[in-house]
Amino acid sequence: LVASGFEQVEMTKPRKALKEAGAEVTIVSTKAGQIQGMNHADKGDKFDVDLTLDEARPGNFDALMIPGGLMNPDELRSTPAATEFARHFFDAGKPVAAICHGPWVLCSTPALRGKKATSFFAIKDDVVNAGATYVDAEVVRDGNIITSRKPDDLPAFMVELMKAIRERK
């Protein structure tokens, strides 16, 4: 689940790893067309959206991954259809993985209440205010919720996400 303004590497590396593991990966976004990746504050590449939130049915997916970046999660958490889409996954016990600022989306749902989680340090207060116990670690998994802090944590993040997906099969 991604909107324009996402941290490019936080989408492309997980997408590549999942595809290499045999997963079908779908880019779901708030609008049709293309979304703009970012390399920190600089524009990166554009990517085609596969399905809009209006077209996507969460029951058709095994897991959800939310990359960070500043604008991406802010748009997603401000879009009721996006938070409802995300809510389906944690309600169904499916893996929900969010990295960097991605947990902002989860802060706008009940997903983090009573869970341990991490994020980019700048949104630590938001994670805590959403009811989570903040843990400063490269990856934190609490049940079906998987969170990481930054691009450097991507290897550990992907190990936990793939492990969670395999456990559901």
Side-chain angles (χ1 to χ4, degrees):
L1 178 61
V2 63
S4 282
F6 63 95
E7 186 64 34
Q8 187 165 313
V9 70
E10 293 173 0
M11 188 278 284
T12 57
K13 280 196 174 186
R15 182 176 75 161
K16 181 180 181 210
L18 287 164
K19 283 183 173 184
E20 287 175 353
E24 181 181 335
V25 181
T26 304
I27 295 177
V28 177
S29 191
T30 56
K31 299 174 184 97
Q34 292 188 317
I35 50 175
Q36 178 69 58
M38 300 294 289
N39 296 312
H40 302 293
D42 299 322
K43 285 187 177 180
D45 299 322
K46 289 189 176 185
F47 296 85
D48 292 329
V49 171
D50 297 313
L51 293 172
T52 64
L53 282 165
D54 292 338
E55 299 166 328
R57 301 292 167 255
N60 294 340
F61 298 94
D62 295 318
L64 175 66
M65 203 282 294
I66 305 168
L70 288 171
M71 294 174 280
N72 166 56
D74 196 45
E75 178 178 335
L76 293 174
R77 72 183 180 148
S78 302
T79 304
T83 56
E84 283 305 310
F85 187 80
R87 187 179 185 134
H88 163 83
F89 289 86
F90 65 82
D91 283 348
K94 295 177 181 179
V96 176
I99 187 167
C100 196
H101 285 75
W104 251 350
V105 178
L106 304 181
C107 289
S108 294
T109 73
L112 295 179
R113 284 188 201 136
K115 299 278 189 179
K116 292 179 183 171
T118 195
S119 67
F120 191 68
F121 73 92
I123 67 165
K124 174 185 176 182
D125 290 346
D126 299 305
V127 170
V128 170
N129 289 333
T133 299
Y134 187 86
V135 179
D136 185 13
E138 66 181 357
V139 66
V140 175
R141 181 174 175 196
D142 191 339
N144 62 320
I145 306 293
I146 302 152
T147 52
S148 277
R149 303 170 301 187
K150 57 190 176 186
D152 290 345
D153 299 337
L154 279 165
F157 179 70
M158 289 311 306
V159 166
E160 279 305 315
L161 175 56
M162 288 195 206
K163 182 178 168 186
I165 292 169
R166 280 194 289 280
E167 288 170 0
R168 285 209 30 100
K169 293 290 179 182

